[in-house]
């Protein structure tokens, strides 16, 4: 009888120990392991990770609830920070886009005055229409990007403006690959360089015609398809100090305000996926390579 009782006691103890181990493993060890795994996933950047199973122990359940509440608040704060960053970038981009060039508009008004004095009402109407289209496009500052076709239309309108105001003859030669009209590009990505050519191209002889060549096409690379915008004029080229500035990181307050502004806006939009190239080759050459966005 004592031996039988000892065997029964031993078996009962073993069963109780096994049941206690199963209970602790199920209710304590497994929830803690799951909690640890979730925290490791969060540490690795998986912000959506949550504890899927509840726990019987009140303390562990409270830890799970606290972790869930903390992650929800972190995601809210992260989204708020992201939205604030986007708004700040939009404000900066609007500021960059709205840095109007007063000399151009003063010259437009002077030209209108000359037309009025000479009684050339037809030319006045054309200039006013072209100038209004120019300003309408420029002042739509909430548009960070536009279809390529819209940017080309804007440059063509600027060409008409210059033909109304400019004494020296000029021509703009276009070579645009088909099927690219809807490719999204930053506003003023072509206009900036065309305007620079009109303002700074030194041609020497008064009768020499300003020629600006604009080519736009796709560029296939190992990293994907890019848009290659290539602009060349027949002037004296970029001065050395300007080349050094625009081939470096964009700076605020530099001499080349328009190009630096465009580069900073492209940096906001594309990060490191945008490429530039500025050099002289029988005139000033500017190249902008943009990814699909």
């Amino acid at each position: 009888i004592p031996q039988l009782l000892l065997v029964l006691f031993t078996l009962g103890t073993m069963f109780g120990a096994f049941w206690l181990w199963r209970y602790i493993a199920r209710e304590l060890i497994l929830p803690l392991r799951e909690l640890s795994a979730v925290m490791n996933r969060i540490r690795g950047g998986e912000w959506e990770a949550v504890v899927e199973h509840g726990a019987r122990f009140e303390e562990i359940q409270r830890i799970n609830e606290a972790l869930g509440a903390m992650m929800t608040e972190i995601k809210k704060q992260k989204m708020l920070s992201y939205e604030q960053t986007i708004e700040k970038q939009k404000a900066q981009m609007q500021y960059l886009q709205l840095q109007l060039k007063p000399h151009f508009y003063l010259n437009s008004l002077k030209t209108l005055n000359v037309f009025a004095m000479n009684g050339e009402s037809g030319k006045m109407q054309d200039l006013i229409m072209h100038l209004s289209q120019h300003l309408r496009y420029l002042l739509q500052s909430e548009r960070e990007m536009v279809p390529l076709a819209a940017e080309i239309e804007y440059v063509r309108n600027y060409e008409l403006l210059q033909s109304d105001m400019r004494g020296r003859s000029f021509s703009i030669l276009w070579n645009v690959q088909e099927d690219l009209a809807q490719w999204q590009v930053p506003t003023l990505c072509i206009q900036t360089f065309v305007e620079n050519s009109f303002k700074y191209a030194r041609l020497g002889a008064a009768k020499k015609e300003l020629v600006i060549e604009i080519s736009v096409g796709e560029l296939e690379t190992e990293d994907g398809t890019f848009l290659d915008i290539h602009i060349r004029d027949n002037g004296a080229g970029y001065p050395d100090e300007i080349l050094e500035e625009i081939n470096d990181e964009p700076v605020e307050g530099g001499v080349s305000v328009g190009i630096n502004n465009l580069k900073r806006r492209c940096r906001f939009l594309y990060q490191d996926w945008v490429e530039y190239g500025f050099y002289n080759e029988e005139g000033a050459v500017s190249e902008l390579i943009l990814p699909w966005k």
Side-chain angles (χ1 to χ4, degrees):
I1 291 176
Q3 291 177 348
L4 180 60
L5 291 175
L6 181 60
V7 170
L8 293 175
F9 176 77
T10 302
L11 291 175
T13 303
M14 292 175 61
F15 176 77
F18 177 74
W19 179 87
L20 181 61
W21 177 80
R22 288 289 302 275
Y23 178 80
I24 293 175
R26 183 177 65 251
E27 304 296 339
L28 182 62
I29 297 176
L30 291 180
L32 287 175
R33 284 181 178 175
E34 183 178 2
L35 178 62
S36 177
V38 168
M39 294 179 69
N40 286 329
R41 288 163 61 191
I42 293 172
R43 186 183 296 112
E46 191 175 340
W47 294 95
E48 303 297 327
V50 294
V51 178
E52 297 180 355
H53 303 95
R56 184 168 300 182
F57 287 98
E58 183 178 357
E59 289 78 5
I60 297 179
Q61 185 62 31
R62 287 183 178 179
I63 292 175
N64 291 343
E65 293 173 357
L67 179 62
M70 181 178 68
M71 293 310 303
T72 300
E73 186 62 27
I74 288 176
K75 285 188 285 186
K76 288 181 180 178
Q77 293 299 323
K78 188 177 180 182
M79 183 60 67
L80 179 62
S81 175
Y82 176 76
E83 291 174 351
Q84 289 175 343
T85 300
I86 293 299
E87 290 302 318
K88 181 179 178 181
Q89 289 183 351
K90 285 184 177 179
Q92 288 177 316
M93 292 186 69
Q94 289 171 4
Y95 166 75
L96 295 173
Q97 288 175 207
L98 291 177
Q99 285 187 315
L100 303 180
K101 298 156 183 73
H103 295 295
F104 174 75
Y105 303 104
L106 289 175
N107 290 336
S108 300
L109 294 176
K110 290 178 181 178
T111 304
L112 282 173
N113 182 56
V114 172
F115 289 161
M117 292 175 62
N118 295 335
E120 298 175 293
S121 58
K123 290 185 177 180
M124 286 181 61
Q125 291 176 356
D126 290 341
L127 179 57
I128 291 172
M129 289 300 298
H130 298 153
L131 188 59
S132 65
Q133 293 177 18
H134 182 86
L135 288 172
R136 184 183 300 114
Y137 181 90
L138 187 65
L139 294 175
Q140 291 178 341
S141 56
E142 73 280 357
R143 294 198 306 173
E144 300 170 358
M145 305 188 72
V146 295
L148 176 63
E151 177 70 11
I152 292 176
E153 182 181 356
Y154 176 68
V155 176
R156 291 187 184 277
N157 181 72
Y158 179 78
E159 181 181 359
L160 295 174
L161 264 175
Q162 288 291 346
S163 66
D164 293 334
M165 299 166 49
R166 192 173 175 86
R168 185 190 290 266
S169 62
F170 70 91
S171 60
I172 297 181
L173 309 179
W174 292 87
N175 180 19
V176 181
Q177 182 179 325
E178 296 181 1
D179 303 326
L180 297 179
Q182 296 307 312
W183 190 301
Q184 296 292 307
V185 298
T187 56
L188 309 180
C189 66
I190 299 178
Q191 168 69 16
T192 297
F193 303 109
V194 172
E195 189 170 328
N196 270 9
S197 293
F198 275 105
K199 290 172 62 177
Y200 301 119
R202 301 186 303 277
L203 300 173
K207 294 184 178 180
K208 184 177 180 180
E209 181 184 43
L210 171 65
V211 179
I212 303 174
E213 301 177 21
I214 303 173
S215 62
V216 184
E218 285 186 337
L219 180 65
E220 297 291 342
T221 72
E222 295 179 355
D223 296 321
T225 303
F226 290 75
L227 188 71
D228 188 5
I229 301 174
H230 193 273
I231 301 163
R232 173 197 300 270
D233 65 42
N234 64 333
Y238 287 113
D240 292 339
E241 63 275 13
I242 298 297
L243 271 181
E244 183 178 357
E245 177 183 310
I246 60 181
N247 277 310
D248 202 351
E249 288 298 315
V251 295
E252 187 173 357
V255 177
S256 303
V257 177
I259 294 178
N260 278 315
N261 283 355
L262 175 62
K263 289 172 65 177
R264 288 164 63 193
R265 289 191 289 120
C266 287
R267 186 70 67 189
F268 284 138
L269 293 169
Y270 303 109
Q271 285 78 48
D272 295 329
W273 287 93
V274 59
E275 296 289 342
Y276 322 96
F278 307 103
Y279 56 94
N280 293 326
E281 188 178 275
E282 298 181 355
V285 181
S286 307
E287 188 171 18
L288 184 63
I289 300 176
L290 305 173
W292 174 265
K293 185 175 177 66

